[in-house]
Amino acid sequence: MATERMPNPAMLVPEAMEALMAVNRAITGAGVDGGLLALSHLRASQVNGCGPCVAGGVHQARQHGLTDEQVHAVAAWRETPWFSDEQRAALALTEAVTRLADRPDPVPDHVWDLAAKHFDQKELAALLLNIAITNAFNRLNAPTRQQAGQW
Protein backbone atom coordinates (compact mmCIF):
# COMPACT_ATOMS: atom_id res chain seq x y z
CA MET A 1 0.00 0.00 0.00
CA ALA A 2 1.41 3.36 -1.01
CA THR A 3 1.50 6.22 1.46
CA GLU A 4 -0.53 9.36 1.06
CA ARG A 5 1.37 12.07 -0.82
CA MET A 6 -0.58 14.99 0.59
CA PRO A 7 -4.01 15.71 2.04
CA ASN A 8 -6.91 15.70 -0.38
CA PRO A 9 -6.61 18.90 -2.46
CA ALA A 10 -10.24 19.81 -1.86
CA MET A 11 -9.59 19.68 1.88
CA LEU A 12 -6.71 22.11 1.45
CA VAL A 13 -8.98 24.51 -0.45
CA PRO A 14 -12.11 24.44 1.73
CA GLU A 15 -14.18 26.47 -0.73
CA ALA A 16 -13.57 23.75 -3.32
CA MET A 17 -14.84 21.04 -0.98
CA GLU A 18 -17.91 23.15 -0.19
CA ALA A 19 -18.62 23.50 -3.92
CA LEU A 20 -18.15 19.78 -4.56
CA MET A 21 -20.46 18.92 -1.68
CA ALA A 22 -23.05 21.41 -2.97
CA VAL A 23 -23.03 19.59 -6.31
CA ASN A 24 -23.48 16.29 -4.45
CA ARG A 25 -26.49 17.71 -2.59
CA ALA A 26 -28.03 18.92 -5.83
CA ILE A 27 -27.57 15.48 -7.39
CA THR A 28 -29.17 13.63 -4.48
CA GLY A 29 -32.09 16.05 -4.57
CA ALA A 30 -32.81 15.52 -8.25
CA GLY A 31 -35.02 12.46 -7.80
CA VAL A 32 -32.75 9.64 -8.99
CA ASP A 33 -32.72 6.56 -6.75
CA GLY A 34 -29.87 6.77 -4.25
CA GLY A 35 -28.95 3.13 -4.78
CA LEU A 36 -28.55 3.70 -8.49
CA LEU A 37 -26.33 6.74 -7.83
CA ALA A 38 -24.27 4.64 -5.40
CA LEU A 39 -23.83 1.89 -8.02
CA SER A 40 -22.70 4.47 -10.55
CA HIS A 41 -20.27 6.00 -8.05
CA LEU A 42 -18.91 2.58 -7.12
CA ARG A 43 -18.40 1.49 -10.73
CA ALA A 44 -16.65 4.69 -11.83
CA SER A 45 -14.43 4.50 -8.77
CA GLN A 46 -13.54 0.88 -9.55
CA VAL A 47 -12.63 1.82 -13.13
CA ASN A 48 -10.43 4.64 -11.83
CA GLY A 49 -8.85 2.60 -9.02
CA CYS A 50 -9.87 5.04 -6.30
CA GLY A 51 -9.78 3.13 -3.00
CA PRO A 52 -11.53 5.72 -0.82
CA CYS A 53 -14.34 6.17 -3.33
CA VAL A 54 -14.77 2.41 -3.82
CA ALA A 55 -15.08 2.04 -0.05
CA GLY A 56 -17.51 4.96 0.06
CA GLY A 57 -19.52 3.55 -2.83
CA VAL A 58 -19.87 0.20 -1.08
CA HIS A 59 -21.03 1.97 2.08
CA GLN A 60 -23.54 4.10 0.13
CA ALA A 61 -24.84 1.09 -1.79
CA ARG A 62 -25.48 -0.82 1.40
CA GLN A 63 -27.17 2.22 3.00
CA HIS A 64 -29.54 2.32 0.04
CA GLY A 65 -30.45 -1.36 0.32
CA LEU A 66 -28.46 -2.89 -2.51
CA THR A 67 -27.85 -6.58 -2.07
CA ASP A 68 -24.49 -8.14 -1.28
CA GLU A 69 -24.63 -9.80 -4.70
CA GLN A 70 -24.98 -6.41 -6.39
CA VAL A 71 -22.23 -4.78 -4.35
CA HIS A 72 -19.82 -7.66 -4.90
CA ALA A 73 -20.61 -8.13 -8.59
CA VAL A 74 -20.83 -4.54 -9.85
CA ALA A 75 -17.46 -4.89 -11.61
CA ALA A 76 -18.95 -7.78 -13.60
CA TRP A 77 -22.47 -6.38 -13.96
CA ARG A 78 -22.83 -7.53 -17.58
CA GLU A 79 -22.25 -11.17 -16.60
CA THR A 80 -24.57 -11.36 -13.58
CA PRO A 81 -28.35 -11.49 -13.13
CA TRP A 82 -28.56 -9.10 -10.16
CA PHE A 83 -29.11 -5.78 -11.94
CA SER A 84 -32.27 -4.26 -13.39
CA ASP A 85 -32.42 -2.89 -16.93
CA GLU A 86 -32.36 0.63 -15.46
CA GLN A 87 -29.25 -0.15 -13.39
CA ARG A 88 -27.56 -1.71 -16.42
CA ALA A 89 -28.27 1.40 -18.49
CA ALA A 90 -26.79 3.61 -15.76
CA LEU A 91 -23.72 1.37 -15.39
CA ALA A 92 -23.10 1.34 -19.16
CA LEU A 93 -23.35 5.13 -19.24
CA THR A 94 -21.07 5.39 -16.20
CA GLU A 95 -18.39 3.29 -17.83
CA ALA A 96 -18.58 5.15 -21.14
CA VAL A 97 -18.41 8.59 -19.52
CA THR A 98 -15.59 7.50 -17.21
CA ARG A 99 -13.57 6.04 -20.11
CA LEU A 100 -13.92 8.93 -22.56
CA ALA A 101 -10.53 8.38 -24.19
CA ASP A 102 -11.03 4.66 -24.84
CA ARG A 103 -12.88 4.99 -28.15
CA PRO A 104 -13.40 7.52 -30.95
CA ASP A 105 -17.09 7.89 -30.05
CA PRO A 106 -16.83 8.05 -26.25
CA VAL A 107 -20.54 7.57 -25.55
CA PRO A 108 -21.99 5.58 -28.46
CA ASP A 109 -25.61 6.13 -29.44
CA HIS A 110 -26.67 2.69 -28.22
CA VAL A 111 -25.39 3.51 -24.72
CA TRP A 112 -26.97 6.96 -24.70
CA ASP A 113 -30.28 5.75 -26.18
CA LEU A 114 -30.57 2.99 -23.61
CA ALA A 115 -30.01 5.46 -20.77
CA ALA A 116 -32.48 7.92 -22.32
CA LYS A 117 -35.05 5.12 -22.48
CA HIS A 118 -34.88 4.70 -18.69
CA PHE A 119 -34.27 8.27 -17.52
CA ASP A 120 -35.85 11.61 -18.38
CA GLN A 121 -33.60 14.60 -19.07
CA LYS A 122 -33.46 15.78 -15.45
CA GLU A 123 -32.60 12.26 -14.28
CA LEU A 124 -29.97 11.95 -17.03
CA ALA A 125 -28.54 15.29 -15.94
CA ALA A 126 -28.32 14.07 -12.34
CA LEU A 127 -26.72 10.81 -13.44
CA LEU A 128 -24.17 12.62 -15.62
CA LEU A 129 -23.38 15.03 -12.80
CA ASN A 130 -22.96 12.06 -10.45
CA ILE A 131 -20.52 10.44 -12.88
CA ALA A 132 -18.64 13.72 -13.32
CA ILE A 133 -18.35 14.48 -9.61
CA THR A 134 -17.27 10.90 -8.91
CA ASN A 135 -14.57 11.21 -11.54
CA ALA A 136 -13.51 14.54 -10.01
CA PHE A 137 -13.14 12.96 -6.57
CA ASN A 138 -11.31 9.99 -8.11
CA ARG A 139 -8.91 12.36 -9.84
CA LEU A 140 -8.19 14.17 -6.59
CA ASN A 141 -7.77 10.99 -4.53
CA ALA A 142 -5.81 8.70 -6.85
CA PRO A 143 -2.80 10.92 -7.66
CA THR A 144 -2.43 12.01 -4.04
CA ARG A 145 -2.79 8.40 -2.88
CA GLN A 146 -5.65 8.99 -0.47
CA GLN A 147 -6.31 5.94 1.68
CA ALA A 148 -9.66 4.23 2.14
CA GLY A 149 -11.11 4.63 5.61
CA GLN A 150 -9.32 7.88 6.39
CA TRP A 151 -12.18 10.32 5.72
Side-chain angles (χ1 to χ4, degrees), residues 37 57 125:
L37 293 174

Side-chain angles (χ1 to χ4, degrees), residues 1 41-42 44-59 137-138 141-143 145-151:
M1 178 171 83
H41 176 84
L42 176 56
S45 299
Q46 288 173 334
V47 168
N48 289 325
C50 181
C53 290
V54 167
V58 168
H59 178 75
F137 276 113
N138 295 166
N141 289 332
R145 295 183 179 157
Q146 300 301 301
Q147 301 299 304
Q150 304 227 345
W151 280 36

Side-chain angles (χ1 to χ4, degrees), residues 10 14-30 126 129-130 133 137:
E15 296 83 3
M17 182 57 85
E18 291 169 20
L20 292 168
M21 297 314 293
V23 172
N24 263 338
R25 285 189 299 276
I27 292 164
T28 59
L129 285 163
N130 187 65
I133 200 76
F137 276 113

Side-chain angles (χ1 to χ4, degrees), residues 86-148:
E86 181 180 67
Q87 290 168 330
R88 290 174 186 283
L91 288 166
L93 185 64
T94 298
E95 288 182 0
V97 173
T98 299
R99 295 180 163 141
L100 291 175
D102 286 0
R103 59 176 71 93
D105 182 10
V107 181
D109 287 340
H110 72 277
V111 171
W112 181 264
D113 293 345
L114 185 59
K117 175 182 168 188
H118 291 281
F119 305 100
D120 64 27
Q121 286 192 346
K122 183 176 180 186
E123 293 166 331
L124 273 172
L127 184 55
L128 288 168
L129 285 163
N130 187 65
I131 297 164
I133 200 76
T134 297
N135 276 275
F137 276 113
N138 295 166
R139 281 155 177 77
L140 295 172
N141 289 332
T144 59
R145 295 183 179 157
Q146 300 301 301
Q147 301 299 304

